[in-house]
Amino acid sequence: MTDPLFPIPPRDLPISAASPGKCIVFGEHAVVQGAPELLFAIDLTTQVVVTTGPATRLNADGEAPRKNPYFGSALNLAWQGGPPLEVRSVSRIPKAAGLGSSAALVACLAATFGAARGGVDRSRLAQRSFEIERGAQGVGSPGDTSTVVAGGFVAINGGPGSPLWSVSAPDHEWQVRRVNDPGWVWVLAYSGIPHSTGDAVRAVTARLREPGGPALLDRFREVATEGIDAVGRGDRGRVAALLARNQELLREVGVSHPRLEALIAAAAPAAEGTKLTGAGVGGSVLCLPVPGKETELVRRLARAGGLPFVVRPAPAGVALVEP
Ligand code: PMV
């Protein structure tokens, strides 16, 4: 297999790139404060095709540089001084669902713009994708963008795996490491309720600054540290128990939602463990199915109003493809 960390080579426009989405197994929200997080890239993708045009547009929309903060931020931070671009994007990742649609779009734009400007290595691409996403959201961690750039399983600020890169913001630095894929099938379900990552992150950040906040953050830290270790060892029983514990913490910081709780309850007979994944307050749940009960799990989640996806970790991150 080719090295998933190969650089993005130089290319002339038109250029196309495809990126996986992502899901968070442990540690969302706490990662923004520097705690560990575990994520993996999922085999639902976004693809973009970028070429020059008379005016800059995204999917034929000339207002997009102003209306779409991710597109606007990418143009600002990675295409200053360049010619107008005609960009098309097609995605199988539901939007505002906690499944990495914005990280995938940002990584595709950063990769195509980087290719057009002489190529870019992956650690630089991870830093740039994070800056573009944070430029659009105002807050956040590099977990999502580093995962769609690296592919596979990724730990932020934890684990004994080989270091991939570090990503920095003026107030924080995050270490990004590889975690072995234990080879399991996972099931995700979108609740149908879109969320705002920025609003959820600001609310949780405020909660963690209240009395009891630091102790709560320590519990997030413990669960994610143990979770990274358990996934690395392929210990399903431990991972399942930790998914439930992480969900309790997410409830405690106020980012669960009745529709997510309904999906978690519906999944229970066919899932070893289930938690919300991403910023919460809507968005999606991640389930570790009881082996052999994947189809039953999908049926249960759909009956409870979810949009289920059976996913496998995508081993490779964003890459150029033939336009
Ligand atoms: O945008 P989402 O729903 O995938 O949430 C990202 C995870 C957070 O930890 C809540 C924010 C972040 O940037 O890490």
Side-chain angles (χ1 to χ4, degrees):
M1 203 179 99
T2 45
D3 173 9
L5 297 181
F6 63 92
I8 301 293
R11 204 50 84 79
D12 293 328
L13 294 165
I15 306 172
S16 181
S19 170
K22 69 95 220 317
C23 73
I24 301 171
V25 186
F26 297 112
E28 53 270 268
H29 286 293
V31 67
V32 178
Q33 318 301 326
E37 181 183 42
L38 178 71
L39 315 90
F40 65 87
I42 57 175
D43 56 359
L44 296 175
T45 57
T46 292
Q47 184 168 350
V48 305
V49 183
V50 178
T51 189
T52 49
T56 294
R57 308 194 305 172
L58 173 62
N59 294 333
D61 181 358
E63 296 293 303
R66 201 176 44 77
K67 281 191 333 211
N68 182 320
Y70 298 98
F71 188 51
S73 177
L75 292 167
N76 260 338
L77 294 176
W79 198 248
Q80 280 290 345
L85 294 176
E86 184 77 56
V87 179
R88 296 222 155 250
S89 109
V90 182
S91 185
R92 287 191 57 214
I93 311 168
K95 283 202 176 58
L99 301 181
S101 66
S102 56
L105 174 65
V106 159
C108 283
L109 294 172
T112 48
F113 297 176
R117 293 195 152 171
V120 56
D121 70 42
R122 260 172 214 267
S123 64
R124 182 75 204 109
L125 186 62
Q127 176 70 35
R128 197 175 290 166
S129 300
F130 167 62
E131 286 168 5
I132 293 171
E133 194 183 57
R134 195 152 150 141
Q137 279 174 194
V139 287
S141 82
D144 293 13
T145 41
S146 273
T147 301
V148 304
V149 169
F153 273 78
V154 165
I156 311 293
N157 289 347
S162 54
L164 293 173
W165 48 70
S166 63
V167 177
S168 57
D171 50 339
H172 272 300
E173 185 171 89
W174 292 266
Q175 305 302 323
V176 184
R177 289 173 185 273
R178 180 56 83 205
V179 176
N180 284 337
D181 177 357
W184 304 334
V185 170
W186 301 78
V187 174
L188 291 161
Y190 176 40
S191 64
I193 301 173
H195 66 203
S196 156
T197 300
D199 291 350
V201 168
R202 279 182 279 271
V204 172
T205 302
R207 168 72 187 88
L208 293 175
R209 287 197 184 126
E210 284 170 11
L216 194 51
L217 184 59
D218 281 345
R219 285 161 63 208
F220 270 100
R221 207 184 292 277
E222 259 170 50
V223 167
T225 302
E226 278 188 51
I228 291 166
D229 176 63
V231 167
R233 287 184 290 105
D235 184 343
R236 275 184 91 97
R238 191 79 200 119
V239 170
L242 290 164
L243 290 171
R245 267 178 61 194
N246 201 155
Q247 175 61 25
E248 281 166 24
L249 297 175
L250 290 162
R251 259 178 220 134
E252 223 171 299
V253 292
V255 294
S256 196
H257 184 282
R259 292 282 290 276
L260 297 174
E261 294 297 333
L263 291 175
I264 292 168
E272 293 182 346
T274 303
K275 66 178 267 296
L276 73 82
T277 184
V281 208
S284 301
V285 296
L286 169 68
C287 315
L288 184 59
V290 173
K293 291 200 175 178
E294 292 81 2
T295 311
E296 179 188 331
L297 178 57
V298 165
R299 217 180 294 122
R300 288 178 161 279
L301 290 163
R303 244 190 260 131
L307 175 64
F309 302 90
V310 178
V311 294
R312 294 267 320 168
V318 63
L320 301 189
V321 294
E322 288 313 309

